[in-house]
């Protein structure tokens, strides 16, 4: 009840800070896994970096599925708590855990089945192919622990507790960061496992996060609990979890498909171009998804007050969140524009990569602010049950506008056109999102 009162009456600015900083940090940590792997793997060779880059769409799709269930559960629980329907909130917890285990196992299996034909489609280099298989054959097993710990994280965040979930994220990233160099290069009693060691460190980090997340959820002081007595599967609840999490899934899954499409264009130029884009995109994801963590902190606040019928606090949360997103995206843009050479240095970039990579990073960084604003509008629609409108914005961002822009600009400007397609698509998407926002308000 205390959590409900905080969500309903605490000054919106203070509430947004309390709710947003922990998931912001959690998302930063979540997306640092691949960046850390790439930074260490790049020290093995550029081919190893290319292998991790080719694996990135698969791991991104797996993360997208985890966020799908997690956000769906988060939105439903926050809405039920806003209506003071505790039993319904606990029912969602049990459904969320079952979905996380079941879908996690399915995606683990699918990843193992598709990886060979997938990697064959993108490289004829036998060394890159074998490195890709070695990495992904282990990384596939991250999905169950990844899915479960994200689901629990979102459940606890929906109650207003944003601090505790951050710590099991921290623990997982620390394990990954410590064991990456130990297992890749072989230190002490550990043998040198090369690229496979990076994957083992990643899976170990996720397993630890899952164990700690379960320990936290089972604690007596949690505002939501696993419902066992009287529980039965409800197709309506499962459908609503999928529906409310769908825009977040689309946003993240489209990143996977987008990287795949971009790689199809880049393969005509060189393996170095693929390696560069994989490295750069991990940096972009770290910035964009960290800001998205802030936006996801705004989501339960908006959803709670929408469920409670408090339109004024709903609008205040949207405006305050938009201000924070604008500031953070400007900082991220400046960091990439001012320090591209130093960022590429993290990946032991060759002179060939630097020759086009520095200017490419500056061009693509121009899209960050537009991306943040359109995502904030999409999240507002998500919180107010305009799911299809929310999803349409994400489709425009990474598919409907981006793919045609890639095709046209690649024909006209070659490699530079591929980089320019990103700010062009993001600008067009923001214009569409603003028109939709104005239309709904007038309606």
């Amino acid at each position: 009840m205390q959590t409900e009162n905080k969500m309903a009456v605490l000054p919106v600015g203070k509430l947004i800070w309390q709710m947003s900083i922990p998931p912001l940090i959690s998302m930063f940590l979540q997306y640092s896994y691949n960046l850390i792997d790439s930074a260490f793997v790049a020290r093995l060779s550029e081919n190893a970096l290319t292998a991790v880059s080719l694996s990135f769409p698969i791991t991104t799709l797996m993360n997208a599925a985890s966020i799908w269930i997690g956000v769906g559960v988060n939105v439903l629980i926050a809405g039920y708590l806003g209506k003071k329907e505790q039993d319904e909130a606990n029912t969602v917890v049990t459904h969320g855990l079952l979905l996380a285990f079941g879908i996690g196992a399915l995606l683990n299996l699918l990843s193992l089945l598709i990886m060979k034909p997938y990697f064959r489609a993108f490289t004829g280099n036998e060394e890159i192919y074998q490195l890709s298989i070695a990495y992904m054959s282990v990384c596939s097993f991250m999905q169950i622990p990844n899915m479960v710990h994200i689901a629990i994280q979102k459940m606890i965040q929906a109650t207003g507790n944003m601090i505790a979930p951050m710590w099991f994220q921290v623990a997982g990233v620390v394990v990954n960061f410590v064991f990456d160099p130990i297992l890749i290069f072989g230190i002490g009693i550990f043998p040198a496992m090369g690229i496979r060691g990076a994957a083992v460190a990643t899976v170990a980090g996720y397993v630890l996060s899952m164990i700690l997340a379960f320990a936290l959820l089972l604690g007596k002081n949690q505002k939501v609990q696993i419902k066992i007595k009287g529980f039965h599967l409800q197709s309506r609840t499962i459908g609503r979890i999928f529906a409310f999490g769908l825009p977040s899934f689309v946003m993240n899954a489209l990143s996977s498909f987008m990287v795949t499409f971009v790689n199809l264009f880049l393969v005509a130029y060189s393996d170095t171009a693929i390696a560069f884009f994989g490295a750069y995109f991990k940096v972009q994801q770290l910035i964009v998804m960290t800001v998205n963590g802030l936006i996801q902190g705004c989501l339960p606040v908006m959803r709670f007050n929408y469920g409670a019928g408090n339109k004024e606090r709903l609008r205040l949360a949207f405006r305050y969140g938009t201000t924070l997103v604008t500031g953070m995206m400007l900082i991220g843009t400046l960091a990439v524009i001012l320090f591209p050479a130093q960022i590429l240095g993290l990946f032991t970039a060759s002179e060939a990569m630097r020759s086009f990579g520095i200017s490419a990073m500056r061009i693509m960084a121009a899209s960050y602010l537009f991306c943040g604003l359109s995502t904030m509008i999409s999240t507002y629609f998500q919180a107010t049950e305009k799911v299809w409108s929310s999803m349409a914005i994400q489709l425009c961002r990474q598919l409907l506008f981006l793919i045609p822009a890639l095709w046209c600009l690649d024909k006209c400007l070659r490699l530079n056109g591929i980089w320019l397609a990103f700010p062009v698509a993001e600008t067009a998407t923001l214009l569409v999102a603003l028109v939709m926002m104005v239309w709904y308000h007038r309606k």
Side-chain angles (χ1 to χ4, degrees):
M1 197 63 76
Q2 184 178 1
T3 297
E4 294 177 355
N5 288 337
K6 178 182 80 169
M7 296 279 277
V9 302
L10 198 69
V12 169
K14 183 177 181 180
L15 182 61
I16 291 292
W17 278 108
Q18 286 186 6
M19 298 291 286
S20 295
I21 291 178
L24 181 154
I25 295 172
S26 292
M27 291 299 279
F28 175 85
L29 296 172
Q30 176 75 19
Y31 280 85
S32 68
Y33 274 95
N34 281 311
L35 190 145
I36 290 169
D37 278 358
S38 294
F40 282 113
V41 164
R43 298 177 182 274
L44 291 172
S45 67
E46 188 174 284
N47 280 350
L49 177 60
T50 303
V52 174
S53 297
L54 288 175
S55 302
F56 189 58
I58 300 178
T59 56
T60 299
L61 192 59
M62 293 165 78
N63 272 325
S66 300
I67 292 170
W68 185 1
I69 301 304
V71 171
V73 166
N74 177 279
V75 172
L76 267 184
I77 290 174
Y80 282 131
L81 293 179
K83 297 175 185 176
K84 299 180 173 60
E85 298 177 1
Q86 183 67 50
D87 189 64
E88 293 295 331
N90 291 342
T91 298
V92 174
V93 169
T94 308
H95 278 87
L97 288 174
L98 292 174
L99 287 174
F101 274 107
I103 297 174
L106 178 62
L107 290 178
N108 188 337
L109 178 61
L110 286 175
S111 174
L112 291 171
L113 291 175
I114 70 167
M115 62 182 182
K116 289 185 178 181
Y118 175 84
F119 291 131
R120 279 294 184 201
F122 286 95
T123 182
N125 185 313
E126 188 62 26
E127 183 186 3
I128 292 174
Y129 172 77
Q130 293 298 335
L131 288 169
S132 300
I133 295 296
Y135 181 76
M136 202 62 229
S137 62
V138 176
C139 255
S140 294
F141 291 93
M142 79 178 197
Q143 186 55 20
I144 292 177
N146 179 32
M147 206 152 197
V148 172
H149 97 263
I150 288 179
I152 295 174
Q153 175 194 50
K154 297 299 182 184
M155 292 170 190
I156 295 171
Q157 286 176 350
T159 70
N161 181 355
M162 310 301 283
I163 299 296
M166 180 179 68
W167 292 111
F168 55 74
Q169 291 277 99
V170 170
V173 171
V174 168
V175 165
N176 187 41
F177 184 80
V178 169
F179 280 93
D180 251 336
I182 291 175
L183 297 179
I184 291 172
F185 305 110
I187 298 175
I189 61 172
F190 296 94
M193 299 175 66
I195 197 170
R196 194 183 294 271
V200 171
T202 295
V203 174
Y206 282 125
V207 169
L208 178 62
S209 291
M210 180 183 70
I211 292 170
L212 295 177
F214 255 114
L216 183 63
L217 180 64
L218 296 175
K220 294 182 180 179
N221 296 325
Q222 291 305 323
K223 301 297 189 295
V224 291
Q225 299 175 347
I226 300 172
K227 181 179 178 179
I228 299 176
K229 186 177 180 180
F231 172 81
H232 61 277
L233 283 175
Q234 301 172 6
S235 59
R236 181 174 180 271
T237 299
I238 294 172
R240 296 189 79 197
I241 290 172
F242 284 136
F244 282 119
L246 188 59
S248 294
F249 170 75
V250 169
M251 183 184 74
N252 289 277
L254 284 175
S255 294
S256 172
F257 294 124
M258 181 270 290
V259 172
T260 301
F261 278 120
V262 173
N263 284 341
L264 287 172
F265 284 95
L266 294 177
V267 74
Y269 293 94
S270 66
D271 289 336
T272 299
I274 294 175
F276 158 74
F277 185 71
Y280 160 77
F281 195 69
K282 292 175 181 63
V283 175
Q284 176 186 302
Q285 285 289 83
L286 192 64
I287 294 170
V288 170
M289 297 310 295
T290 296
V291 176
N292 193 55
L294 184 151
I295 294 172
Q296 292 304 319
C298 298
L299 176 58
V301 178
M302 293 190 290
R303 175 63 184 167
F304 181 98
N305 285 286
Y306 178 79
N310 194 330
K311 293 182 180 180
E312 181 59 29
R313 284 177 64 82
L314 169 66
R315 291 174 185 139
L316 279 173
F318 173 72
R319 289 198 292 266
Y320 200 91
T322 300
T323 301
L324 293 178
V325 166
T326 300
M328 288 191 64
M329 281 302 194
L330 287 174
I331 292 171
T333 300
L334 288 173
V336 175
I337 288 175
L338 294 175
F339 306 108
Q342 289 83 351
I343 293 171
L344 285 175
L346 294 173
F347 303 99
T348 322
S350 63
E351 283 302 315
M353 187 181 293
R354 288 172 181 267
S355 65
F356 62 84
I358 290 175
S359 62
M361 291 180 72
R362 287 173 172 154
I363 292 170
M364 289 187 284
S367 66
Y368 294 173
L369 177 58
F370 306 125
C371 168
L373 294 175
S374 63
T375 302
M376 189 67 198
I377 294 172
S378 174
T379 304
Y380 177 84
F381 289 152
Q382 188 177 358
T384 56
E385 300 189 4
K386 299 176 181 66
V387 174
W388 292 107
S389 297
S390 176
M391 192 166 60
I393 293 173
Q394 301 304 333
L395 285 168
C396 287
R397 278 190 60 235
Q398 300 189 79
L399 185 67
L400 299 180
F401 291 158
L402 181 60
I403 302 305
L406 282 168
W407 187 84
C408 293
L409 293 171
D410 176 51
K411 296 291 185 183
C412 298
L413 302 173
R414 304 294 292 162
L415 192 57
N416 280 335
I418 293 176
W419 319 134
L420 187 60
F422 289 89
V424 168
E426 293 289 5
T427 303
T429 300
L430 178 58
L431 292 174
V432 169
L434 290 171
V435 169
M436 292 171 66
M437 194 74 170
V438 170
W439 186 80
Y440 274 120
H441 273 284
R442 288 182 177 176
K443 183 179 177 182

